[in-house]
Amino acid sequence: MSPSTPMDQSNSLPCHVGIVMDGNGRWAKARGKGRLEGHKQGAKVARNVVEWAKNFGVRQLSLYAFSTENWDRPKLEVRGLMSLLSILLPRTLPEMMQNDVRFRVLGDISPLPGSAKRAVENAMSETKGNTGMDLILCLNYGGQQEILAAARTACEWVAGQDDRESAWKALTPDRFRSMMWRHDVAPLDLLIRTGGERRISNFHLWDAAYAELYFSDVYWPDFSKQDLKDALNDYASRERRYGKTGEQVSS
Ligand code: IPE
Ligand code: IPE
Ligand code: MG
């Protein structure tokens, strides 16, 4: 199998892959290092994963880099994560340009330190014309917060309609989704979580409704190209039924 074609059938390739990159802290601890060393190594892997995913033919890749709950970590770790972002993001620009990757963000970046915000905004503007793959960095992102923001927009939309009763009826899941932050990104097809935990931790709650879940015990800093390939191959073996029967799907 060539490295760029991990699956037998191209239609069994997920369009949108989301990764909860977990296990940096435990990886560092197991080596007697500080947590930030784990985050540094994790950032290297994230850079590699962007290239591997692009070469495998993934169209959209969401990487969970910082959750709304991660602000509750020790101040030093939060500061370290933010400076990693402002230092490393500009350095990854040449490879994003080379790989034709469009950098985007999901989450509220307004509370980020100025240097991190500038790095993010610059990466978005430099790469906006790229079409090979979308990299969606989830930063200060929470799935509940995203749904709540859409609910507010939906209430305002209904309140602005002459016939509110009809408006409520017209508020289908699709219309509601169009009010979410990154509604032009496809729903999640494959959700990978590394680090051994079996939970979603507020990642893509709405859009994971029919995602295939894949859990790996590998700590994120050890995640390899083969691990990504294994996840994609596992996805290719799944039957996505969306409520239908297996017979309906296979016919
Ligand atoms: C994930 O690794 C990275 C972030 C949440 C920023 P962790 O830092 O959660 O690693 P563990 O779970 O403590 O090992
Ligand atoms: C989820 O990992 C967030 C990111 C990977 C950015 P956490 O390590 O924060 O999740 P919990 O706290 O174990 O659920
Ligand atoms: Mg963790």
Side-chain angles (χ1 to χ4, degrees):
M1 239 180 302
S2 100
S4 56
T5 51
M7 266 74 52
D8 297 335
Q9 301 155 299
S10 58
N11 63 0
S12 45
L13 188 67
C15 169
H16 183 184
V17 176
I19 308 184
V20 181
M21 309 181 287
D22 196 24
N24 294 352
R26 282 162 288 160
W27 179 91
K29 195 174 177 188
R31 283 160 183 76
K33 297 178 177 186
R35 295 182 58 86
L36 211 54
E37 285 304 312
H39 294 315
K40 278 186 194 158
Q41 191 58 35
K44 278 189 197 155
V45 173
R47 286 166 80 161
N48 290 337
V49 162
V50 171
E51 187 170 333
W52 301 333
K54 158 79 198 315
N55 290 338
F56 283 145
V58 170
R59 300 291 304 163
Q60 296 172 333
L61 176 70
S62 292
L63 296 181
Y64 205 5
F66 194 85
S67 74
T68 42
E69 289 70 34
N70 288 147
W71 292 109
D72 294 335
R73 292 193 175 198
K75 279 199 169 46
L76 210 61
E77 181 170 348
V78 171
R79 218 177 297 151
L81 282 165
M82 293 300 154
S83 50
L84 265 187
L85 187 69
S86 49
I87 294 167
L88 294 183
L89 201 52
R91 288 193 200 159
T92 60
L93 265 178
E95 63 210 46
M96 285 198 275
M97 295 310 290
Q98 202 180 333
N99 289 314
D100 198 19
V101 169
R102 178 168 64 156
F103 177 84
R104 312 181 78 186
V105 157
L106 180 61
D108 175 15
I109 60 164
S110 59
L112 263 54
S115 54
K117 228 183 312 187
R118 280 191 296 279
V120 163
E121 279 160 358
N122 184 50
M124 286 196 286
S125 100
E126 290 289 320
T127 62
K128 65 176 191 283
N130 293 348
T131 57
M133 183 182 81
D134 275 352
L135 165 62
I136 302 122
L137 200 65
C138 301
L139 269 179
N140 187 25
Y141 173 77
Q144 291 179 336
Q145 288 79 349
E146 185 181 24
I147 293 171
L148 197 56
R152 282 200 197 102
T153 306
C155 289
E156 284 162 13
W157 176 75
V158 170
Q161 304 300 307
D162 292 335
D163 182 352
R164 292 190 192 165
E165 205 174 315
S166 310
W168 280 121
K169 283 187 191 137
L171 190 62
T172 58
D174 280 348
R175 189 184 288 266
F176 185 76
R177 190 179 186 275
S178 74
M179 298 169 181
M180 293 181 61
W181 289 330
R182 275 277 176 242
H183 51 87
D184 56 337
V185 173
L188 209 54
D189 296 304
L190 173 62
L191 191 164
I192 299 172
R193 183 174 186 140
T194 63
E197 313 290 359
R198 267 79 175 148
R199 55 176 172 265
I200 297 180
S201 301
N202 209 10
F203 188 48
H204 281 306
L205 293 185
W206 182 278
D207 272 350
Y210 270 99
E212 297 296 328
L213 307 180
Y214 183 87
F215 297 104
S216 162
D217 289 334
V218 171
Y219 291 147
W220 178 249
D222 286 331
F223 194 75
S224 66
K225 189 174 185 177
Q226 186 60 48
D227 291 322
L228 179 63
K229 208 174 194 182
D230 289 347
L232 294 174
N233 281 328
D234 192 86
Y235 173 88
S237 72
R238 311 273 182 102
E239 182 177 65
R240 305 188 77 190
R241 290 197 282 272
Y242 297 97
K244 294 181 180 169
T245 67
E247 288 72 20
Q248 283 177 298
V249 172
S250 52
S251 69

